[in-house]
Amino acid sequence: QVQLVESGGGLVQAGGSLRLSCAASGSRFSVYTMGWYRQAPGKQRELVAAINSGDSTNYADSVKGRFTISRDNGKNLVYLRMNNLKPEDTAVYYCNAELPRRWGIGNYWGPGTQVTVSS
């Protein structure tokens, strides 16, 4: 079982920056693929960025070059650095932990943190 708690959301002007953090409890954090998703009002939840146990990353096209995902396995933390924020980045951001199938079955979500970008 993994519990996730996001922090770092808030209100920022367009062009500004924020860093989201996700703290994970539980064991085997380092083997999980960690992801950041977001959901804007009236829209489906979408993947923003993900990082696997080998530190390979992937990003949504809309955030490439602006967002950076990273992890600290020693502290059970995953980060999302968001630069040059745009109003369309406004959403609730969720942290996700997915256990690779070779390790078992597990998929966990945090409660989310609101990011609002004003124009």
Side-chain angles (χ1 to χ4, degrees):
Q1 189 78 7
V2 174
Q3 293 184 324
L4 305 170
V5 178
E6 303 95 338
S7 61
L11 174 64
V12 64
Q13 289 189 332
S17 298
L18 284 175
R19 189 181 77 161
L20 304 183
S21 299
C22 173
S25 64
S27 60
R28 301 191 298 173
F29 172 80
S30 63
V31 307
Y32 280 81
T33 294
M34 301 300 298
W36 286 97
Y37 289 72
R38 67 186 180 189
Q39 187 166 19
K43 294 188 177 181
Q44 289 189 328
R45 191 173 296 189
E46 63 175 357
L47 175 67
V48 176
I51 184 168
N52 67 13
S53 60
D55 287 341
S56 292
T57 59
N58 65 286
Y59 296 91
D61 287 343
S62 59
V63 306
K64 283 181 180 177
R66 299 189 298 124
F67 291 11
T68 302
I69 189 170
S70 61
R71 66 192 298 165
D72 184 336
N73 291 333
K75 297 181 179 179
N76 282 18
L77 290 168
V78 61
Y79 305 101
L80 185 68
R81 177 68 180 180
M82 305 185 293
N83 295 328
N84 190 22
L85 283 160
K86 304 175 180 181
E88 52 263 42
D89 294 318
T90 295
V92 178
Y93 283 71
Y94 297 92
C95 182
N96 173 262
E98 183 176 8
L99 190 64
R101 286 298 179 96
R102 63 183 181 274
W103 293 101
I105 297 175
N107 193 290
Y108 306 96
W109 293 91
T113 185
Q114 177 71 47
V115 171
T116 303
V117 184
S118 63
S119 57

